[in-house]
Amino acid sequence: MAAVSMDQIVSLCKRRGFIFPGSEIYGGLQGAYDFGPLGVELKNHLINDWWRTNVYERDDMEGLDAAILMNRLVWKYSGHEETFNDPLVDCRTCKARWRADHIHGVCPSCGSSDLTEPRPFNMMFKTQVGPVADSGSFAYLRPETAQGIFANFANVLATTSRKLPFGIAQVGKAFRNEINPRNFLFRVREFDQMEIEFFVLPGSDEAWHQQWLEARLAWWEGVGVPRERISIYDVPADELAHYSKRTYDLMYDYPSLGPQEIEGIANRTDYDLGSHSKDQANLKLTARVNLNEDSTARLTYFDPDSRSHIVPYVIEPSAGVGRGVLAVLCEAYAEEMTKAPAPERLQTVHAALTAFLKSVGKSEKLSAAQRDALLERGQQIAADLPERLAEVEPLLAMPGADAIELAKKVRGQAQPLLDEHYRTVLRLRPKLAPVKVAVFPLKRNHEELVATAKQIRRQLQAENGVRTVYDDTGAIGKLYRRQDEIGTPFCITVDFDTLGAGKDASLSGTVTVRERDTMTQERVAISELPTFLRERIK
């Protein structure tokens, strides 16, 4: 079962070191997050899989890493200075600030309708370039990675001798001065993008647009986000960006938040290369562009078939790394029963939950919406114990639950059963798992067991080149649970049989390998471990 609430994912991310609030020791900075020890590994693996799929495994793609700071004329002719605006309103009552198109005339903070008139707010961050702060010394932190690709189109074409169709891929930071950052990684001011600009002959753009739609859905499925969890939003004409002929938004159904965009696939026509070109009047552009009097280049492609210079159309698949990481975590997350609790202990939890729900139904502290939501969710859990016992904590995290005194009793009765009979597990694809293998000694104070376990860790790290860790900070069962929770696909235990000191002499030189998803265990010779694990991690 995937995650049922975003609170589960946020809690896991902080507890296990995937994602931390930025600058937390000073109260944080709204819209800024740090990827912790496990988060940076997961993020890098996702990026690496994207790069391998789109650059290494294709014959029509090049890579690029353009600078974050660019000449401000790039943003003038891209249209960002003119169009990269959100309508901003202020609440005169509580002084909160909102995007006008998100609040429907009512302040979400205080409910007031006393709002200022909407005014445009440009979302690009300005920064000073050089020692003197004047009107000519500023630049922008890029709001997208795409423009670096367009600005380098002629350079890539000249140095690679590519023929259409071909693409340029880039992964990098982007910055947007969001009015109201919210919902964890969904609205942030600094984020990573994975973008492709795929250049095609005019007239072939619609077919390529469909091909890229299917290719991107297949990739998401390959990293653990199935197609049935993604809806395709064909953006209506009146909602399209100024550069787009047609756009598909891939909408993943996040817990608590509902469908949210994880990738956009846009047909940008010849707008971008045309916008950045000189001599536009002679390029037969189909897109409406602003007159460019500053460019020094014609961003065209010489078509050998027509023996003419043309401005290619562009198909752009663009995904946010942070949102992708969250989608992968949501799909991989599971809380499952490892063995059934004793009936009498389960009955105690059921009685506490029933009393809690009865109190919810009578409470005058809750709104009608809060009361109905708690009752509906709680009754579903109560009717399906013990299978849904793990959903008790998300229930108690719902709005209004903390106003019910009996919530503490429910948590006190449920938590010991969860600790003993359930596990949290991340069923990440092995290629994405932050840690691929964990190695444990059966006893941490036994010198030979410890030395053997550490030697195995060093051997696997060196030969397989994947993150392998050693851990002896708890009993084996507790270590298994910890690795399950961070998604480690394989755990290795070094015991006395490994040393030839057990009851079965034939097990000398072997270790126990435990598989995360099934929890099955297998004895494997130490000499065969690199091959055994390599085949399964692939």
Side-chain angles (χ1 to χ4, degrees):
M1 179 183 67
V4 297
S5 77
M6 187 55 67
D7 288 337
Q8 291 172 304
I9 302 301
V10 174
S11 174
L12 173 71
C13 286
K14 177 67 185 296
R15 185 173 69 252
R16 288 304 186 195
F18 283 93
I19 301 169
F20 304 132
S23 312
E24 187 176 21
I25 62 171
Y26 291 106
L29 177 65
Q30 190 179 20
Y33 290 90
D34 301 330
F35 283 81
L38 295 178
V40 70
E41 295 289 340
L42 176 56
K43 183 176 89 165
N44 287 342
H45 291 329
L46 189 70
I47 291 172
N48 290 341
D49 194 82
W50 183 91
W51 192 268
R52 181 173 56 253
T53 300
N54 293 298
V55 180
Y56 296 167
E57 296 179 3
R58 294 183 66 104
D59 297 326
D60 55 7
M61 194 74 65
E62 299 289 350
L64 183 73
D65 185 7
I68 288 174
L69 295 177
M70 304 178 73
N71 189 307
R72 65 174 290 260
L73 291 174
V74 170
W75 307 108
K76 174 183 176 179
Y77 290 109
S78 69
H80 282 78
E81 280 192 333
E82 180 182 355
T83 65
F84 205 64
N85 298 294
D86 278 341
L88 175 68
V89 296
D90 290 315
C91 175
R92 293 190 177 96
T93 303
C94 71
K95 312 305 179 185
R97 183 165 289 165
W98 306 96
R99 274 183 58 174
D101 56 335
H102 282 179
I103 63 172
H104 307 295
V106 177
C107 175
S109 290
C110 68
S112 172
S113 299
D114 187 12
L115 308 175
T116 63
E117 288 297 315
R119 61 193 186 278
F121 169 74
N122 195 287
M123 296 171 63
M124 289 191 290
F125 281 102
K126 283 185 178 181
T127 187
Q128 179 184 324
V129 177
V132 179
D134 57 35
S135 60
S137 68
F138 77 87
Y140 298 105
L141 300 182
R142 66 184 181 195
E144 64 179 27
T145 61
Q147 298 304 319
I149 295 177
F150 299 131
N152 279 286
F153 173 77
N155 290 329
V156 174
L157 192 61
T159 55
T160 63
S161 300
R162 282 285 184 178
K163 295 182 179 181
L164 292 185
F166 78 95
I168 301 175
Q170 180 171 207
V171 178
K173 292 283 187 185
F175 304 84
R176 297 183 182 179
N177 194 11
E178 292 284 352
I179 295 170
N180 185 29
R182 63 192 185 281
N183 290 342
F184 202 27
L185 297 185
F186 287 90
R187 288 285 180 185
V188 291
R189 294 187 168 116
E190 175 185 342
F191 56 97
D192 297 275
Q193 284 185 306
M194 304 180 291
E195 286 198 316
I196 294 167
E197 307 303 330
F198 196 77
F199 304 98
V200 303
L201 287 169
S204 67
D205 52 301
E206 294 182 3
W208 275 109
H209 198 198
Q210 296 299 318
Q211 287 189 44
W212 273 107
L213 173 63
E214 291 302 318
R216 299 307 303 136
L217 287 168
W219 182 79
W220 283 110
E221 191 157 39
V223 295
V225 184
R227 289 192 182 208
E228 58 267 22
R229 298 280 288 163
I230 297 176
S231 58
I232 301 169
Y233 181 59
D234 192 348
V235 179
D238 61 348
E239 296 180 15
L240 287 172
H242 63 281
Y243 53 75
S244 176
K245 175 181 178 180
R246 189 176 189 181
T247 295
Y248 297 120
D249 285 343
L250 304 187
M251 311 292 286
Y252 173 72
D253 189 11
Y254 289 91
S256 305
L257 302 177
Q260 299 284 338
E261 180 188 346
I262 55 170
E263 179 159 7
I265 306 167
N267 182 343
R268 299 179 70 119
T269 71
D270 54 4
Y271 173 84
D272 299 285
L273 295 182
S275 293
H276 291 302
S277 286
K278 69 174 184 177
D279 195 22
Q280 293 165 319
N282 297 319
L283 298 182
K284 299 179 181 179
L285 297 175
T286 62
R288 295 179 60 183
V289 299
N290 293 325
L291 177 63
N292 192 324
E293 298 177 339
D294 295 291
S295 176
T296 62
R298 290 178 53 169
L299 302 183
T300 61
Y301 168 82
F302 182 74
D303 179 27
D305 294 332
S306 64
R307 301 196 61 77
S308 63
H309 287 272
I310 64 170
V311 178
Y313 272 36
V314 180
I315 307 301
E316 179 195 67
S318 176
V321 176
R323 293 188 180 194
V325 166
L326 284 183
V328 166
L329 285 172
C330 289
E331 281 300 311
Y333 186 93
E335 293 178 347
E336 57 188 32
M337 185 170 58
T338 56
K339 59 179 180 178
E344 59 273 14
R345 297 186 66 189
L346 191 62
Q347 180 56 40
T348 302
V349 175
H350 189 279
L353 181 57
T354 300
F356 167 79
L357 295 175
K358 187 175 181 180
S359 183
V360 167
K362 294 180 178 180
S363 175
E364 297 181 356
K365 299 178 181 179
L366 307 178
S367 68
Q370 290 174 334
R371 184 163 50 250
D372 291 346
L374 284 167
L375 287 174
E376 180 182 6
R377 181 81 170 275
Q379 288 164 359
Q380 291 172 349
I381 295 170
D384 201 17
L385 292 176
E387 285 75 12
R388 300 183 70 165
L389 182 63
E391 295 182 39
V392 167
E393 188 56 40
L395 170 72
L396 300 180
M398 290 176 63
D402 57 353
I404 307 300
E405 184 66 28
L406 287 174
K408 298 176 182 178
K409 184 174 182 180
V410 176
R411 182 178 285 112
Q413 296 290 347
Q415 196 58 53
L417 287 188
L418 289 171
D419 293 341
E420 296 174 33
H421 300 279
Y422 288 76
R423 67 168 181 159
T424 298
V425 57
L426 283 181
R427 299 185 187 277
L428 295 168
R429 299 293 170 93
K431 62 183 178 181
L432 298 184
V435 175
K436 303 295 192 286
V437 184
V439 186
F440 317 136
L442 185 64
K443 295 182 66 175
R444 63 183 178 185
N445 58 355
H446 190 283
E447 185 176 343
E448 192 173 0
L449 287 175
V450 169
T452 303
K454 289 184 175 179
Q455 175 57 35
I456 290 173
R457 189 210 71 82
R458 287 192 294 269
Q459 176 192 3
L460 293 176
Q461 183 72 64
E463 294 189 24
N464 282 6
V466 296
R467 184 78 187 278
T468 306
V469 300
Y470 169 87
D471 195 356
D472 63 5
T473 57
I476 294 298
K478 186 175 182 179
L479 296 179
Y480 282 157
R481 293 292 181 265
R482 181 182 301 163
Q483 296 300 323
D484 287 345
E485 195 171 29
I486 67 172
T488 304
F490 295 100
C491 292
I492 295 172
T493 301
V494 176
D495 56 23
F496 291 105
D497 284 325
T498 307
L499 307 179
K503 296 181 179 179
D504 189 345
S506 67
L507 298 179
S508 178
T510 68
V511 292
T512 298
V513 180
R514 176 193 182 263
E515 197 271 335
R516 175 196 66 204
D517 293 343
T518 63
M519 297 186 287
T520 56
Q521 299 185 11
E522 183 176 352
R523 296 297 297 199
V524 179
I526 295 174
S527 60
E528 297 175 3
L529 277 175
T531 301
F532 177 89
L533 294 169
R534 192 180 304 121
E535 291 174 351
R536 287 156 178 79
I537 290 173
K538 282 184 179 179

